[in-house]
Amino acid sequence: METWKMIFSQVWKKTREFVAENWKAVIAAFYAIFVWFYFKGKADKAKDVIKIKEDSHKKQLDAVEKAHDKEIALRDEALLEYEAIIAEIRADYKEKKKRLSKKKKEEVARLVEESKDNPSALTEQLSEKFGITYVRGGEE
């Protein structure tokens, strides 16, 4: 039994000497252990907060993506409607242009028929109706 007491006494003496020489390191070690235990419980709370923020961020991203998809769908729908309207306008323009050409031809034919014998009257009528300017060329 005495050997154990002696061993314990020597270990205790060496420990006291070590603590006396390195008291700052010992206090730092105890402080680190205390901080670790203190913040161990708070780390779980911080992890929960981070998880909640991540979930919130994911929901926000999903909402933004959904709104973006909706805008793209509306844009595509508007583009299709625009293309249909433009095609209708072009077809209408082409038809009216044909009718106008036909009317002009009929009007010119009527004016030529009426002014068969009078070329200067024909020139004047064409100039008034269609904005054609007659320029005399050649000899004077």
Side-chain angles (χ1 to χ4, degrees):
M1 218 21 148
E2 255 184 64
T3 57
W4 285 108
K5 283 184 183 180
M6 249 172 109
I7 293 172
F8 180 73
S9 170
Q10 287 176 351
V11 168
W12 181 249
K13 183 180 176 186
K14 294 233 184 211
T15 305
R16 278 191 338 210
E17 288 174 6
F18 177 80
V19 169
E21 288 178 18
N22 301 304
W23 65 273
K24 290 180 182 177
V26 172
I27 289 176
F30 278 118
Y31 181 73
I33 292 169
F34 170 76
V35 167
W36 183 74
F37 277 114
Y38 181 74
F39 286 110
K40 183 180 177 189
K42 294 191 182 218
D44 292 336
K45 291 178 184 175
K47 287 178 185 177
D48 291 342
V49 168
I50 291 171
K51 174 91 169 106
I52 290 169
K53 283 187 176 185
E54 286 176 350
D55 292 343
S56 173
H57 185 255
K58 187 175 184 322
K59 287 178 184 177
Q60 289 174 356
L61 283 178
D62 290 343
V64 167
E65 286 177 7
K66 187 176 178 181
H68 177 70
D69 292 342
K70 186 176 180 181
E71 285 181 21
I72 294 295
L74 288 173
R75 185 204 64 188
D76 291 345
E77 183 180 317
L79 188 58
L80 289 174
E81 185 178 342
Y82 166 79
E83 289 173 353
I85 290 171
I86 291 297
E88 184 180 327
I89 289 171
R90 285 187 176 146
D92 190 38
Y93 171 75
K94 192 174 180 182
E95 181 62 34
K96 285 182 179 179
K97 186 177 174 185
K98 282 182 184 178
R99 276 192 263 145
L100 187 58
S101 281
K102 190 176 179 182
K103 278 185 180 180
K104 277 186 179 181
K105 287 178 185 177
E106 290 172 358
E107 186 70 21
V108 168
R110 186 184 63 75
L111 289 174
V112 168
E113 187 63 38
E114 288 177 2
S115 305
K116 218 190 263 187
D117 298 330
N118 192 355
S120 60
L122 176 63
T123 303
E124 190 176 310
Q125 287 176 348
L126 287 175
S127 175
E128 288 174 11
K129 286 272 189 192
F130 302 109
I132 298 171
T133 306
Y134 176 69
V135 179
R136 288 185 181 258
E139 309 165 11
E140 284 199 31

